[in-house]
Amino acid sequence: MSPPTAIDIEAVTDTQAIVLPDPLTVNGVTSRRAKAGKLVAGTAAFTSSDFFKSPTSGKPKAKRWDHYLSLESKSRQPSSLKGAAQYLKNPGLISLGGGLPCAENFPIEELTVKVPSPPHFSERDTKESGRVLSAGKYDVSNGHSAYDLSIALNYGLGTGSAQMIRFVTEHTEIVCSPPYDDWQCSLTVGSTSALDQTYRIFCERGDYVLSEEYTFASAVETALPLGIRFAGVKIDEQGLLPESMDEILSNWNPEERGGARKPRVLYTVPSGQNPTGATQGTARRQAIYKVAQKHDIYIIEDEPYYFLQMQPYTGPNAAPVPPPANNEEFLKALIPTYLSMDVDGRVMRMDSFSKVIAPGTRVGWITASEQIVERFVRHNECSNQNPSGISQLVLYKMLDESWGHRGYLEWLIHLRLEYTRRRDVILAACEKYLPKEIVSWNPPAAGMFLWMKLDHTLHPLNGKVSLTELEEKIFLAAVDKGVLMSRGSWFTAERVNYVPHELFFRATFAAATEERMTEAIERFGTAVKESFGLVVNGDGNGA
Amino acid sequence: MSPPTAIDIEAVTDTQAIVLPDPLTVNGVTSRRAKAGKLVAGTAAFTSSDFFKSPTSGKPKAKRWDHYLSLESKSRQPSSLKGAAQYLKNPGLISLGGGLPCAENFPIEELTVKVPSPPHFSERDTKESGRVLSAGKYDVSNGHSAYDLSIALNYGLGTGSAQMIRFVTEHTEIVCSPPYDDWQCSLTVGSTSALDQTYRIFCERGDYVLSEEYTFASAVETALPLGIRFAGVKIDEQGLLPESMDEILSNWNPEERGGARKPRVLYTVPSGQNPTGATQGTARRQAIYKVAQKHDIYIIEDEPYYFLQMQPYTGPNAAPVPPPANNEEFLKALIPTYLSMDVDGRVMRMDSFSKVIAPGTRVGWITASEQIVERFVRHNECSNQNPSGISQLVLYKMLDESWGHRGYLEWLIHLRLEYTRRRDVILAACEKYLPKEIVSWNPPAAGMFLWMKLDHTLHPLNGKVSLTELEEKIFLAAVDKGVLMSRGSWFTAERVNYVPHELFFRATFAAATEERMTEAIERFGTAVKESFGLVVNGDGNGA
């Protein structure tokens, strides 16, 4: 339906002259772009991260994954119509080939968004000093922009637009600097969709995927209808335990797993894991990567909360740690990604704008080796095609044309401090209102979740009812007091015949206002105390 | 991830008083909405077409399709977290349950779009008299709108927003008035994605799907990796032949089809079919529906071009038929949809804004029985979730809040005349520049494609090279003359061991300007004449 038109980087007269520091910096992008010249990418332009990466000479190529590809994924062929795109480069050629509507029939003449001026990001500041960014229909042919409505409103290719691929490729290089040669990015319509597609690349019905024993419920529920089950790896306060992963893989017995072959894929949320809030440290990630190498495991690094890493928690009465003084300090404070240590090309990193800009954009991206990204893009072509062009245009205008990488990193620092503040509020409320003899928790270093363990052995009904029943009783008691928490059992990785042995609840500190969040924890504390018989009904405040 | 909050239709004090004409009219919507009161639907609000349909008392329920559901689709369960949404209705409840980010951290303060004022739709008119529509972050709580950025930028449910479900439900009722009770709509991220999901609802690896013998290439290419093949039904100038469909189904022999069971699904593009441009008349649709009933076939009615039905073609020198005088005349001039004759609930209609607003919105919708839409929505929840909220907001502002159904139908009339004009230009060029002894075509009544048959028996190489080689020679000769056409063989439904017996090319009249379209047909005429030996090289113009 949408044959690509030509893309060119104008005026690349002396590529030898592009000598970039390693890793790429914000300034490096600026000088690189200046040398590369204006981005020219029209309607449904072919694009690739290769156009926008630093030269990677000397780095090894990624491992091939042919032996892991599913029948479905192996069967994907490029579209025959798209093959005709090669002729579009012929000068003067008129195409009656692809069924692309004409831009004159798009009834949107102009689009504007009002966004913050970095570093003044608050809603109040934005009202006062925000910038209004405007996109017209023909800004590209008028020379006003590298992206416009005539392009964004038409069909695009499965990678997403060249304009946004450039931005996310540069951003990924700044943050992750992958240590192998042939890495690529593709836009996604969000990580849940990307995960669905990735299961279909690597798994067949009957397969197991490894993950933390408590994990993102949607990851499990996306897998189950495909006949893919989760095998839960034991966790501690830093999340996934490499020893447990090694043990499961070393002793995998198909007979105990309904005939399932040894897992080939690990799904993990390394930072601010959902639901446990755990963040894997650098050494932990390195150890897990080694286990993955030992058992030839492909790693899905799902990182929606990576930039919701917070300031160190100093406790209720200590002075806060000063925020990062600049982008360089900020980047250094981030725990290294799996992608940054991926010498083999065995990682697919999933990034998303959902938690750092807004979920309603429905735009994210993956980074993986060329082979895997190509399979992923073939699937995009036969499903969601690419994210909304309107979303892509809004993101481009704000992130690329207005803020630039520097402003975007400043925004991420702003978010870091926002989430730090919210986390500190919920932790202060927990310190004040929860009975510590029953409820324990680890201060999260990233993400939006607080994972609370309740000592069920102290409950009067312990041993008399199942843990699941006990969990439900406490959940309903909390609802009765006016607070909704998520039940730990909703997040179990292993769903078949799973018998819980501990009692957890998950609270988010992302959504409610600070006052209501504090009020909610007080209510939960009352519900817990009453349920455990610490106080009688109606006398639960300020215990 | 995104638990629903409550939705209510305020002030429904007297539902008995809602007596609507059948079918629903634009005025009927206005009075219905006035009686229903303000739409209240906040962040991730639960919604359903049931809230917005006319009372359907007396109509039969749709047939159940349990016996046709795939293993994958049958296995889909509602999310456990979403089950907790029931408690959100409790007054005063504070939710720490779902991980929805807080709107204050969405860095978009305001969004505006400039759109035409109906009925002044041209680009020039829009520049002069277009309306600027504005959406703020908190327009709903401020009482300025029923939809705003705080909702659109957050997570939504798998159906899409209540605001857009209302609009497409009403629109579908106005146009199709389905004759059974429990029909529903769900938004999609476009019909290619909807088709991928629908295959996964109804088909298993090894199945066949019926379609026109030349069909939308992406429909075939989306099916193939899932192990689903197409069986081509013979066609005439009105497209799919019911007799051929009946014959294929009546004589289905699994042994001749690699063990495949009898098809259960028909994929058809009834109006302006891609690539043939054929449009099924009313009687043809009724006959096909009867064959579907006889063999219990589920119909996928893919209708991207339904509203690109054009004015009757009167030939190069006759006066044009006057355009529809009003919306009622326009609606009457449209060929009835399969959905409008679907007494069984055996049709999934796929609509899309791609061809009638812009592909870059990545928003469409399906209409089908409650059972099938529920399965579809469960899949949405574990894949693309819902279309971009930014796209939904832009569409809502324009279609619902600004234009209304009346203005939207006027826009569709405008498009009808635009496409009529474009079609007439390409047909005039064909009359003038193509050698009629070789090339024949039917004037399309809908869509964006002209399907040209070349009489291969007149080619000097006929019988000496294969038809596929001949097609390639002519294709390359046309490229050489500076025009890109699509080759007929790219659209064959049956891809395995298929031997073409005729020679076709497809041209679109949607994309190029009128001058360039005419020039392109002239070039193609030259290439054909030269290839067939009617003229010698370089002497091909104005023959």
Side-chain angles (χ1 to χ4, degrees):
Chain A
M1 286 307 299
S2 23
T5 54
I7 184 175
D8 281 296
I9 305 294
E10 277 182 3
V12 183
T13 48
D14 187 4
T15 50
Q16 305 308 95
I18 302 176
V19 177
L20 289 166
D22 194 8
L24 184 61
T25 63
V26 170
N27 288 337
V29 171
T30 310
S31 79
R32 189 192 148 86
R33 283 201 187 187
K35 283 179 185 135
K38 199 171 67 171
L39 174 66
V40 179
T43 300
F46 173 79
T47 192
S48 155
S49 290
D50 287 344
F51 296 143
F52 311 116
K53 285 157 64 175
S54 299
T56 49
S57 53
K59 290 185 184 172
K61 289 264 182 200
K63 193 175 146 62
R64 299 282 303 178
W65 296 93
D66 305 67
H67 57 307
Y68 275 18
L69 296 181
S70 71
L71 180 54
E72 174 179 322
S73 189
K74 266 190 295 211
S75 313
R76 296 195 176 278
Q77 303 286 338
S79 151
S80 40
L81 275 80
K82 291 192 170 85
Q86 58 177 302
Y87 302 110
L88 294 174
K89 289 180 215 138
N90 294 14
L93 181 121
I94 306 173
S95 174
L96 305 184
L100 277 75
C102 187
E104 68 179 313
N105 289 325
F106 301 155
I108 302 172
E109 170 70 24
E110 191 184 15
L111 177 145
T112 74
V113 282
K114 186 172 180 187
V115 306
S117 297
H120 308 290
F121 291 112
S122 73
E123 289 188 324
R124 178 179 297 185
D125 284 346
T126 305
K127 268 203 198 338
E128 281 167 19
S129 65
R131 301 172 188 166
V132 176
L133 315 177
S134 164
K137 217 189 225 182
Y138 302 109
D139 286 354
V140 171
S141 48
N142 294 338
H144 295 152
S145 178
Y147 200 22
D148 64 20
L149 282 166
S150 80
I151 300 168
L153 288 174
N154 218 319
Y155 283 104
L157 296 196
T159 47
S161 69
Q163 289 79 1
M164 280 306 296
I165 284 292
R166 179 172 68 171
F167 186 84
V168 303
T169 299
E170 291 165 349
H171 174 77
T172 301
E173 191 175 339
I174 290 169
V175 176
C176 304
S177 193
Y180 65 96
D181 178 65
D182 50 337
W183 61 276
Q184 300 269 345
C185 300
S186 167
L187 297 196
T188 70
V189 299
S191 293
T192 303
S193 162
L195 188 55
D196 174 67
Q197 294 187 193
T198 304
Y199 289 147
R200 297 186 198 267
I201 290 175
F202 287 108
C203 300
E204 302 286 1
R205 186 165 283 278
D207 278 354
Y208 271 83
V209 162
L210 296 175
S211 81
E212 293 85 359
E213 63 178 327
Y214 290 93
T215 186
F216 178 39
S218 271
V220 180
E221 288 160 6
T222 299
L224 283 176
L226 315 190
I228 301 162
R229 286 155 295 180
F230 269 53
V233 178
K234 295 219 175 310
I235 53 177
D236 66 5
E237 72 286 352
Q238 277 197 40
L240 204 87
L241 282 163
E243 301 78 13
S244 169
M245 178 173 157
D246 186 34
E247 190 271 329
I248 290 172
L249 289 167
S250 298
N251 302 310
W252 189 266
N253 183 350
E255 281 177 28
E256 291 168 6
R257 298 281 190 168
R261 59 188 179 183
K262 192 173 156 180
R264 299 152 159 215
V265 172
L266 166 69
Y267 170 80
T268 185
V269 179
S271 312
Q273 200 251 0
N274 183 356
T276 65
T279 297
Q280 302 164 8
T282 306
R284 176 65 59 91
R285 295 179 193 212
Q286 287 164 338
I288 291 167
Y289 191 85
K290 275 206 179 134
V291 176
Q293 287 182 307
K294 175 179 169 190
H295 295 281
D296 204 16
I297 293 292
Y298 194 87
I299 300 173
I300 302 176
E301 176 186 28
D302 185 13
E303 277 289 38
Y305 317 112
Y306 184 73
F307 290 104
L308 304 186
Q309 291 179 54
M310 293 169 286
Q311 295 291 95
Y313 180 64
T314 49
N317 301 313
V321 176
N326 52 44
N327 287 340
E328 291 69 34
E329 269 194 25
F330 169 64
L331 289 169
K332 252 184 241 158
L334 297 171
I335 297 174
T337 65
Y338 278 101
L339 183 59
S340 75
M341 50 187 75
D342 184 22
V343 289
D344 300 339
R346 65 171 65 252
V347 173
M348 176 188 286
R349 180 175 165 90
M350 293 179 178
D351 277 283
S352 168
F353 288 115
S354 287
K355 304 301 192 295
V356 292
I357 299 292
T361 60
R362 307 311 309 129
V363 180
W365 73 98
I366 57 158
T367 310
S369 68
E370 187 174 25
Q371 180 188 24
I372 301 305
V373 171
E374 193 267 345
R375 292 291 86 194
F376 189 91
V377 169
R378 291 284 91 77
H379 189 164
N380 278 354
E381 288 167 359
C382 290
S383 57
N384 50 58
Q385 303 207 9
N386 50 66
S388 156
I390 305 179
S391 282
Q392 291 189 63
L393 183 60
V394 165
L395 288 169
Y396 173 79
K397 282 281 162 184
M398 178 169 72
L399 298 178
D400 191 295
E401 214 171 85
S402 172
W403 292 0
H405 289 287
R406 184 177 312 282
Y408 183 47
L409 292 177
E410 286 168 359
W411 163 256
L412 294 173
I413 294 173
H414 167 78
L415 266 192
R416 177 184 179 94
L417 301 178
E418 284 292 301
Y419 276 84
T420 299
R421 193 170 44 76
R422 289 182 153 273
R423 177 204 56 189
D424 291 353
V425 166
I426 204 171
L427 289 177
C430 290
E431 295 280 351
K432 187 164 174 194
Y433 294 115
L434 297 187
K436 293 216 190 80
E437 60 274 38
I438 298 169
V439 190
S440 57
W441 61 90
N442 293 309
M448 27 172 86
F449 300 112
L450 180 68
W451 185 239
M452 292 175 286
K453 181 176 170 181
L454 275 60
D455 185 349
H456 60 90
T457 65
L458 300 178
H459 198 280
L461 292 176
N462 183 45
K464 294 178 187 141
V465 300
S466 72
L467 264 184
T468 306
E469 287 168 295
L470 197 55
E471 186 192 67
E472 183 168 28
K473 273 183 191 300
I474 299 166
F475 170 77
L476 291 174
V479 166
D480 206 46
K481 292 286 173 200
V483 56
L484 186 73
M485 310 287 272
S486 290
R487 294 168 60 170
S489 63
W490 291 340
F491 303 95
T492 49
E494 308 209 5
R495 294 287 174 97
V496 185
N497 303 324
Y498 183 76
V499 180
H501 52 283
E502 293 183 302
L503 193 57
F504 293 102
F505 285 89
R506 188 197 79 174
T508 177
F509 48 92
T513 62
E514 297 184 13
E515 296 69 31
R516 283 170 65 81
M517 193 149 66
T518 301
E519 170 72 23
I521 292 295
E522 183 175 359
R523 293 177 186 179
F524 185 63
T526 305
V528 168
K529 285 179 229 166
E530 286 182 11
S531 178
F532 278 74
L534 292 200
V535 291
V536 289
N537 256 347
D539 183 29
N541 289 350
Chain B
M1 287 306 298
S2 22
T5 53
I7 183 178
D8 280 299
I9 306 294
E10 277 182 3
V12 183
T13 48
D14 187 4
T15 50
Q16 304 309 96
I18 302 176
V19 177
L20 288 167
D22 193 8
L24 183 63
T25 64
V26 170
N27 288 337
V29 171
T30 310
S31 78
R32 189 192 148 85
R33 283 202 187 187
K35 283 179 184 135
K38 200 173 67 172
L39 174 67
V40 179
T43 300
F46 173 78
T47 193
S48 156
S49 290
D50 287 343
F51 297 143
F52 311 116
K53 285 158 64 176
S54 300
T56 49
S57 52
K59 290 185 184 172
K61 290 263 182 201
K63 196 175 144 60
R64 299 281 305 178
W65 296 94
D66 305 67
H67 57 306
Y68 276 17
L69 296 181
S70 70
L71 179 56
E72 174 179 323
S73 189
K74 266 191 294 212
S75 314
R76 295 196 176 280
Q77 303 285 339
S79 149
S80 40
L81 275 79
K82 290 192 172 86
Q86 58 176 304
Y87 302 110
L88 294 174
K89 290 181 215 138
N90 294 13
L93 181 123
I94 306 173
S95 174
L96 304 185
L100 277 75
C102 188
E104 70 179 313
N105 288 325
F106 300 155
I108 302 174
E109 170 72 20
E110 191 184 15
L111 177 145
T112 74
V113 281
K114 186 171 181 188
V115 305
S117 297
H120 308 292
F121 291 112
S122 73
E123 289 190 323
R124 177 179 298 182
D125 284 346
T126 305
K127 269 204 195 342
E128 281 167 18
S129 65
R131 301 172 188 167
V132 176
L133 314 177
S134 164
K137 217 191 227 180
Y138 302 110
D139 286 354
V140 171
S141 48
N142 294 339
H144 295 152
S145 178
Y147 200 23
D148 64 20
L149 283 166
S150 80
I151 300 168
L153 288 175
N154 217 321
Y155 283 104
L157 297 196
T159 47
S161 69
Q163 289 79 1
M164 280 307 294
I165 283 292
R166 179 172 67 169
F167 185 84
V168 303
T169 299
E170 291 164 348
H171 174 78
T172 301
E173 191 175 340
I174 290 170
V175 176
C176 304
S177 191
Y180 65 96
D181 179 65
D182 49 336
W183 61 275
Q184 300 268 345
C185 300
S186 167
L187 297 196
T188 69
V189 300
S191 293
T192 303
S193 162
L195 188 56
D196 175 68
Q197 294 187 193
T198 304
Y199 289 147
R200 298 188 197 268
I201 289 176
F202 286 108
C203 301
E204 302 286 0
R205 187 165 283 277
D207 279 353
Y208 270 83
V209 164
L210 296 175
S211 81
E212 292 85 358
E213 63 179 327
Y214 290 94
T215 187
F216 178 40
S218 272
V220 180
E221 288 160 5
T222 300
L224 284 176
L226 316 190
I228 301 162
R229 286 155 294 177
F230 269 51
V233 178
K234 295 221 175 309
I235 54 177
D236 66 6
E237 73 286 354
Q238 278 196 38
L240 203 87
L241 282 164
E243 301 78 14
S244 170
M245 178 172 157
D246 186 34
E247 190 270 330
I248 290 172
L249 289 167
S250 298
N251 301 310
W252 189 267
N253 183 352
E255 282 176 27
E256 291 167 6
R257 298 283 191 168
R261 60 187 179 184
K262 193 172 155 180
R264 300 155 159 214
V265 173
L266 166 69
Y267 170 79
T268 185
V269 179
S271 312
Q273 200 250 1
N274 182 357
T276 65
T279 297
Q280 301 165 7
T282 306
R284 176 64 61 93
R285 293 179 194 212
Q286 287 163 339
I288 291 168
Y289 191 83
K290 275 204 179 135
V291 176
Q293 288 182 308
K294 176 179 169 188
H295 295 281
D296 205 15
I297 293 292
Y298 194 88
I299 300 172
I300 302 175
E301 177 187 26
D302 186 12
E303 277 290 38
Y305 316 113
Y306 184 73
F307 290 106
L308 303 186
Q309 291 179 53
M310 293 169 284
Q311 296 291 95
Y313 180 63
T314 50
N317 301 312
V321 176
N326 52 46
N327 287 340
E328 290 70 33
E329 268 193 25
F330 168 63
L331 290 169
K332 252 182 241 158
L334 297 171
I335 298 175
T337 64
Y338 278 101
L339 183 59
S340 75
M341 50 186 77
D342 184 22
V343 290
D344 301 337
R346 65 171 65 253
V347 172
M348 176 187 286
R349 180 176 164 89
M350 294 179 176
D351 277 283
S352 168
F353 288 115
S354 286
K355 304 300 193 295
V356 291
I357 299 292
T361 60
R362 305 313 308 130
V363 180
W365 73 99
I366 57 156
T367 310
S369 68
E370 187 174 25
Q371 181 188 21
I372 302 305
V373 171
E374 193 268 345
R375 293 291 86 193
F376 190 91
V377 169
R378 290 286 89 77
H379 190 163
N380 278 355
E381 288 167 359
C382 290
S383 56
N384 50 59
Q385 303 207 10
N386 50 65
S388 155
I390 306 179
S391 282
Q392 291 188 64
L393 183 60
V394 166
L395 288 169
Y396 172 80
K397 282 282 163 185
M398 179 169 70
L399 298 178
D400 191 296
E401 214 171 85
S402 173
W403 291 2
H405 289 287
R406 186 176 313 281
Y408 182 47
L409 292 176
E410 285 168 359
W411 164 257
L412 295 173
I413 295 173
H414 167 79
L415 265 193
R416 178 185 179 94
L417 302 179
E418 285 291 302
Y419 275 85
T420 299
R421 193 169 45 76
R422 288 182 155 273
R423 177 205 55 188
D424 291 353
V425 166
I426 203 171
L427 288 177
C430 290
E431 295 281 350
K432 187 164 173 190
Y433 295 113
L434 298 187
K436 291 216 190 80
E437 61 274 37
I438 298 170
V439 190
S440 57
W441 60 90
N442 293 308
M448 27 173 83
F449 300 113
L450 179 69
W451 185 238
M452 293 175 287
K453 181 175 168 181
L454 274 60
D455 185 349
H456 60 91
T457 65
L458 301 179
H459 199 279
L461 292 176
N462 183 46
K464 294 178 186 139
V465 301
S466 72
L467 265 184
T468 306
E469 287 167 294
L470 197 53
E471 187 193 67
E472 183 167 28
K473 273 184 192 300
I474 299 167
F475 171 79
L476 291 174
V479 166
D480 206 47
K481 291 288 173 200
V483 56
L484 186 73
M485 310 287 271
S486 290
R487 294 168 60 171
S489 62
W490 289 342
F491 304 96
T492 49
E494 309 209 6
R495 296 287 174 96
V496 185
N497 304 324
Y498 183 78
V499 180
H501 52 283
E502 292 183 302
L503 193 56
F504 294 103
F505 284 89
R506 189 197 77 174
T508 178
F509 47 92
T513 62
E514 298 184 13
E515 296 70 33
R516 282 169 65 81
M517 194 149 65
T518 302
E519 169 74 22
I521 292 295
E522 183 175 359
R523 292 178 187 177
F524 184 63
T526 306
V528 169
K529 284 179 228 167
E530 287 181 12
S531 179
F532 277 74
L534 293 199
V535 292
V536 290
N537 255 344
D539 182 26
N541 290 350

